[in-house]
């Protein structure tokens, strides 16, 4: 049943809940500004302004409806109205609007997801005491702050603006149960964000469960995808807080989880797009339906649901350890594990291998993955997608032992790049722009010079201060290259970015010395907390020089040390 009505009619005699399978609040400040402009345009033109569709499902309580589609808009409108209400001078107006849109007696008109409920209610009450603890709560607070700015500085008459909101036109679909509502949602999403492939996967599985398996997995699909969306929010929040390369970027979303899982679930592709994943699952489901093989259809949906949820849980466990575990923090937040290894490392975690010790090498599987990432994926610059995908798939579909894991990792590490070739890469290639790699190599080197590792608190402090890769002989020198043993300018350019001319330096010190000559840099180097740099300063204070030959000797010393540390 559908009807187009005003927003005031839409809210009449209704209480809204956001069901647990929905995704968390995700509107940003720009979405709030767009909504404000829509309302302002309606007010200025006195036109009937349409703001989209909302799909509702009835519940066992007559006045209570689950929001299946449109929760972002409804939540934002309710928050916007709550900010406007507090600006009303007339008490009767204030009380009326609050009862109608925000809270009647002890019941809020809108109940968000359980994890965000208390935080959202305090926003609606205008008493903010809790700190945001999730990505969605941060979005809520940012959106709410933007609304306060708009109301304080751009709305002269709150009552008039409230009436403009009430007059907005909305198309309402009300279905008798969740299943029918979700089917409507699959085809109607006219004003919200584009559906992700994860959303579409949920709808696809729901459709086949609902239509061909007598709704057997409907509740399971809703529950598990609700959990997946919540886990994704946690992963994204931790990734941003811990500055994990890819997860910290806007390019990483839940569709990446879908793709990475599928690499270990299916051999269809070792680098699928989100659409290819969706198409592959759909093709399997259609094949079972075409052959009337509903037992296999049942098994496939059950297996896929469990596998996807287990994968996201395992990945969340891995990322969560970056908060308080030095090894995980180094791998993800400093080095930045190559994304091609995400499916394999997650399957290793799922199978409880990640923290186990390799029988003959005496290092953990995690540390072996770090060695591979440095040697093969960073230094060798080998994508390795096919080999790694095959490994991830095998981990998910065959029994493995720790000895077999060790054999595979040692083979992959040495097969792709021998020790001699590794040294050659280190000695002769320009890695200056690979900041995360060099930071890892140099921080690790400083730990060995200190004979102790940095605790995670110190590692985090180091990274917060954004350590730089310093050129000992400046990139843009004030000196003539011949004075330092180089044949000419071109000869210096060939050497300036090699390991022997690089060290680790605090950003503040680097900024102070800039392109100074060596003697002038000495005082800065002497104050560095990084052992490799302070040791070099001591040597420089004695020799008073650092020429091409010294650069070559220092570079070779680093190469030999790194080859022993990052072994094959």
């Amino acid at each position: 049943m559908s009807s187009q009505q005003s927003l005031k009619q839409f809210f009449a005699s209704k209480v809204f809940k956001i069901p647990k399978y929905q995704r968390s609040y995700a509107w940003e400040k720009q979405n709030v500004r767009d909504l404000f402009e829509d309302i302002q345009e309606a007010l200025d033109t006195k036109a009937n302004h349409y703001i989209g569709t909302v799909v509702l499902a009835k519940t066992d309580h007559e006045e209570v409806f689950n929001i299946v589609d449109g929760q972002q808009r409804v939540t934002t409108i309710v928050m916007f109205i709550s900010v406007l209400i507090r600006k009303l001078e007339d008490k009767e107006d204030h009380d009326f609007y609050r009862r109608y849109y925000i809270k009647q007696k002890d019941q809020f008109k809108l109940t968000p997801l359980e994890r965000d409920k208390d935080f959202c209610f305090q926003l609606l009450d205008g008493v903010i005491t809790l700190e945001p603890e999730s990505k969605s709560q941060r979005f809520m607070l940012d959106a709410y702050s933007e609304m306060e700015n708009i109301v304080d500085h751009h709305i002269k008459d709150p009552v008039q603006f409230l009436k403009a909101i009430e007059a907005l036109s909305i198309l309402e679909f009300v279905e008798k149960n969740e299943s029918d509502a979700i089917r409507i949602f699959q085809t109607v999403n006219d004003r919200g964000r584009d559906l992700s492939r994860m959303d579409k996967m949920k709808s696809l599985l729901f459709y086949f469960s609902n239509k061909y398996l007598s709704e057997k997995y409907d509740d399971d699909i809703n529950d598990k995808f609700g959990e997946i969306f919540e886990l994704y929010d946690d992963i994204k929040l931790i990734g941003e807080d811990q500055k994990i390369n890819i997860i910290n970027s806007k390019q990483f979303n839940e569709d990446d989880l879908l793709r990475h899982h599928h690499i270990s679930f299916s051999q269809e592709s070792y680098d699928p797009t989100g659409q290819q994943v969706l198409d592959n699952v759909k093709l399997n489901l259609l094949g079972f339906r075409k052959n009337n093989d509903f037992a296999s259809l049942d098994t496939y949906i059950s297996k896929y649901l469990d596998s996807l949820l287990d994968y996201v849980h395992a990945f969340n466990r891995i990322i969560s350890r970056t908060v308080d575990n030095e090894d995980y923090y180094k791998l993800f937040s400093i080095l930045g594990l190559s994304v091609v290894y995400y499916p394999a490392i997650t399957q290793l975690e799922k199978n409880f291998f990640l923290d186990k010790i390799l029988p003959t090498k005496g290092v953990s599987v995690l540390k072996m993955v770090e060695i591979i990432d440095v040697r093969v994926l960073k230094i060798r610059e080998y994508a390795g997608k096919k080999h790694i995908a095959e490994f991830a798939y095998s981990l998910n579909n065959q029994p493995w032992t720790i000895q077999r894991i060790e054999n595979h990792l040692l083979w992959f590490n040495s097969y792709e790049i021998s020790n001699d070739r590794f040294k050659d890469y280190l000695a002769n290639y320009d890695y200056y722009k690979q900041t995360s790699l060099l930071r890892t190599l140099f921080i690790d080197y400083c730990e060995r010079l200190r004979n102790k590792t940095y605790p995670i608190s110190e590692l985090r402090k180091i990274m917060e201060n954004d350590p730089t890769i310093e050129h000992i002989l400046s990139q843009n020198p004030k000196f003539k290259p011949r004075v330092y043993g180089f044949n000419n300018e071109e000869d210096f350019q060939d050497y300036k970015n090699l390991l022997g001319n690089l060290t680790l330096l605090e950003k503040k010190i680097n900024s102070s010395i800039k392109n100074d000559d060596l003697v002038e840099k000495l005082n800065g180097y002497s104050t560095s907390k990084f052992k490799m740099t302070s040791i070099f300063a001591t040597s420089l204070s004695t020799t008073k020089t650092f020429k091409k030959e010294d650069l070559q000797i220092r570079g070779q010393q680093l190469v030999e040390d790194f080859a022993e540390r990052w072994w094959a």
Side-chain angles (χ1 to χ4, degrees):
M1 182 177 69
S2 65
S3 65
Q4 189 158 338
Q5 53 193 285
S6 70
L7 197 74
K8 184 175 182 179
Q9 292 171 321
F10 172 73
F11 270 85
S13 303
K14 290 194 189 80
V15 173
F16 302 105
K17 288 191 175 181
I18 298 172
K20 61 184 177 181
Y21 58 80
Q22 283 283 26
R23 60 181 60 254
S24 301
Y25 187 79
W27 267 27
E28 301 181 38
K29 289 184 178 182
Q30 188 56 51
N31 300 110
V32 175
R33 293 170 191 147
D34 292 342
L35 176 63
F36 166 66
E37 290 172 5
D38 282 348
I39 301 168
Q40 189 63 53
E41 181 183 345
L43 187 60
D44 293 341
T45 61
K46 296 180 172 54
N48 183 20
H49 200 88
Y50 173 71
I51 61 164
T53 301
V54 175
V55 180
L56 305 176
K58 293 181 178 179
T59 67
D60 294 336
H61 302 282
E62 184 177 350
E63 293 185 351
V64 179
F65 296 83
N66 283 338
I67 303 179
V68 177
D69 185 36
Q71 62 126 325
Q72 305 286 342
R73 260 165 298 143
V74 174
T75 302
T76 305
I77 287 169
V78 169
M79 287 198 294
F80 215 142
I81 290 174
S82 76
V83 175
L84 284 162
I85 287 172
R86 284 195 294 281
K87 299 296 179 180
L88 299 180
E89 296 178 357
D90 187 278
K91 188 176 186 305
E92 287 189 11
D93 283 347
H94 175 282
D95 292 347
F96 167 76
Y97 281 112
R98 183 160 176 80
R99 283 195 308 271
Y100 200 92
Y101 293 103
I102 308 300
K103 188 178 184 180
Q104 189 168 23
K105 295 182 180 179
D106 294 328
Q107 184 176 39
F108 281 91
K109 295 279 285 184
L110 171 70
T111 300
L113 294 172
E114 182 65 30
R115 70 186 312 206
D116 295 332
K117 185 172 68 174
D118 291 340
F119 189 82
C120 182
F121 287 167
Q122 75 165 2
L123 289 179
L124 297 179
D125 278 336
V127 182
I128 305 172
T129 59
L130 300 174
E131 290 294 325
E133 295 179 347
S134 66
K135 182 74 172 169
S136 53
Q137 290 174 17
R138 289 186 183 180
F139 277 129
M140 280 184 181
L141 185 59
D142 286 347
Y144 186 84
S145 299
E146 184 66 17
M147 294 169 198
E148 287 188 313
N149 291 336
I150 289 171
V151 172
D152 288 342
H153 302 289
H154 299 284
I155 296 176
K156 295 179 180 179
D157 187 341
V159 173
Q160 185 185 40
F161 203 81
L162 276 166
K163 291 187 181 300
I165 291 177
E166 289 185 312
L168 294 172
S169 180
I170 194 166
L171 180 60
E172 173 195 77
F173 285 84
V174 180
E175 299 300 327
K176 63 182 179 180
N177 57 49
E178 220 92 24
S179 302
D180 293 337
I182 289 174
R183 279 201 294 272
I184 294 292
F185 165 64
Q186 291 174 29
T187 56
V188 178
N189 192 50
D190 58 338
R191 296 279 295 198
R193 290 184 169 194
D194 291 340
L195 292 180
S196 68
R197 297 299 188 277
M198 187 73 86
D199 282 312
K200 292 179 179 179
M201 182 65 76
K202 171 190 162 187
S203 296
L204 176 67
L205 296 173
F206 195 93
Y207 172 81
F208 276 87
S209 164
N210 191 269
K211 186 162 185 177
Y212 300 107
L213 299 176
S214 303
E215 305 179 6
K216 179 178 179 179
Y217 291 104
D218 288 15
D219 289 341
D220 207 26
I221 291 167
N222 282 339
D223 290 346
K224 287 180 177 176
F225 273 88
E227 195 171 350
I228 287 168
F229 290 138
E230 188 172 309
L231 287 166
Y232 165 75
D233 285 346
D234 289 340
I235 291 167
K236 191 70 177 172
L237 181 64
I238 294 169
E240 291 175 357
D241 285 346
Q242 304 303 317
K243 295 181 174 55
I244 299 172
N245 57 346
I246 296 301
I247 301 175
N248 190 31
S249 74
K250 286 195 172 183
Q251 282 71 42
F252 183 89
N253 56 43
E254 62 259 43
D255 287 354
D256 290 295
L257 297 177
L258 194 73
R259 292 190 309 105
H260 297 160
H261 161 261
H262 205 70
I263 287 168
S264 58
F265 184 81
S266 168
Q267 288 185 300
E268 184 251 347
S269 172
Y270 60 83
D271 187 23
T273 64
Q275 187 59 48
Q276 285 173 330
V277 172
L278 196 65
D279 291 343
N280 180 252
V281 172
K282 187 175 183 178
L283 190 64
N284 279 288
L285 295 172
L286 288 171
F288 298 136
R289 186 199 69 181
K290 183 178 180 180
N291 296 325
N292 292 321
D293 187 358
F294 298 111
S296 295
L297 178 66
D298 185 311
T299 300
Y300 185 88
I301 291 178
S302 176
K303 181 181 177 183
Y304 188 85
L305 277 174
D306 289 342
S307 179
L308 180 59
L309 181 58
D310 287 348
Y311 180 91
V312 179
H313 264 299
F315 190 66
N316 180 60
R317 289 197 300 273
I318 291 172
I319 299 306
S320 297
R321 291 181 195 136
T322 63
V323 175
D324 53 21
N325 185 296
E326 291 88 350
D327 290 339
Y328 285 84
Y329 184 80
K330 286 177 184 176
L331 180 59
F332 285 92
S333 298
I334 300 180
L335 176 61
L337 177 67
S338 301
V339 178
V340 295
Y341 222 94
Y342 277 15
I345 199 172
T346 306
Q347 293 304 327
L348 287 167
E349 166 64 20
K350 270 183 64 178
N351 288 284
F352 308 105
F353 285 118
L354 204 48
D355 291 320
K356 286 189 175 180
I357 303 300
L358 298 179
T360 65
K361 293 300 181 180
V363 299
S364 69
V365 172
L366 182 82
K367 297 303 286 184
M368 191 68 228
V369 168
E370 181 185 51
I371 291 170
I372 289 171
D373 192 48
V374 167
R375 287 173 48 84
V376 180
L377 304 181
K378 297 287 198 304
I379 299 290
R380 166 77 170 80
E381 296 184 305
Y382 170 62
K385 289 181 180 179
K386 188 172 187 297
H387 280 312
I388 296 169
E390 289 170 348
F391 179 45
Y393 178 80
S394 181
L395 283 167
N396 194 42
N397 292 276
Q398 296 177 17
W400 282 69
T401 63
I402 187 62
Q403 184 62 64
R404 189 180 171 202
I405 295 286
E406 180 178 54
N407 292 341
H408 171 83
L409 295 177
L410 293 178
W411 164 79
F412 186 63
N413 185 43
S414 60
Y415 173 78
E416 290 299 336
I417 180 169
S418 67
N419 204 42
D420 287 341
R421 193 177 182 192
F422 179 63
K423 287 182 182 181
D424 185 58
Y425 272 92
L426 283 172
N428 299 303
Y429 280 65
D430 180 344
Y431 289 102
Y432 167 60
K433 292 184 180 179
Q434 292 198 36
T435 305
S436 63
L437 170 63
L438 288 177
R439 280 176 174 172
T440 298
L441 296 178
F442 289 169
I443 288 172
D444 187 86
Y445 182 56
C446 288
E447 286 183 325
R448 280 177 282 118
L449 293 173
R450 287 160 32 112
N451 291 317
K452 61 179 180 179
T453 59
Y454 292 109
I456 193 164
S457 58
E458 198 166 348
L459 284 172
R460 190 168 283 114
K461 187 176 180 181
I462 287 171
M463 295 306 293
E464 286 171 357
N465 290 329
D466 194 19
T468 59
I469 305 303
E470 159 71 358
H471 286 78
I472 297 169
L473 295 177
S474 301
Q475 295 184 80
N476 302 303
K478 297 177 182 178
F479 58 83
K480 292 183 178 179
R482 282 183 177 272
V483 175
Y484 286 87
F486 297 96
N487 298 328
N488 48 40
E489 177 65 28
E490 289 75 18
D491 189 29
F492 174 69
Q493 292 298 322
D494 288 340
Y495 279 87
K496 72 175 184 179
N497 289 335
L498 299 186
L499 277 179
N501 193 41
L502 304 176
T503 191
L504 196 62
L505 192 63
E506 292 84 348
K507 188 174 184 179
K508 185 176 180 180
I509 299 175
N510 198 335
S511 298
S512 68
I513 62 177
K514 297 181 180 177
N515 291 321
D516 290 345
D517 288 336
L518 274 179
V519 175
E520 295 168 317
K521 285 185 174 187
L522 179 57
N523 288 336
Y525 290 173
S526 297
T527 61
S528 175
K529 300 293 185 184
F530 294 115
K531 192 74 173 175
M532 69 182 297
T533 306
S534 64
I535 287 176
F536 176 78
T538 301
S539 174
L540 184 61
S541 68
T542 303
T543 62
K544 305 297 184 185
T545 188
F546 184 71
K547 295 186 175 182
K548 176 180 177 180
E549 182 181 1
D550 302 308
L551 185 156
Q552 291 173 309
I553 292 171
R554 182 174 181 270
Q556 192 56 43
Q557 289 172 343
L558 289 173
V559 167
E560 293 298 329
D561 183 275
F562 291 167
E564 184 176 348
R565 164 64 178 88
W566 308 95
W567 46 264

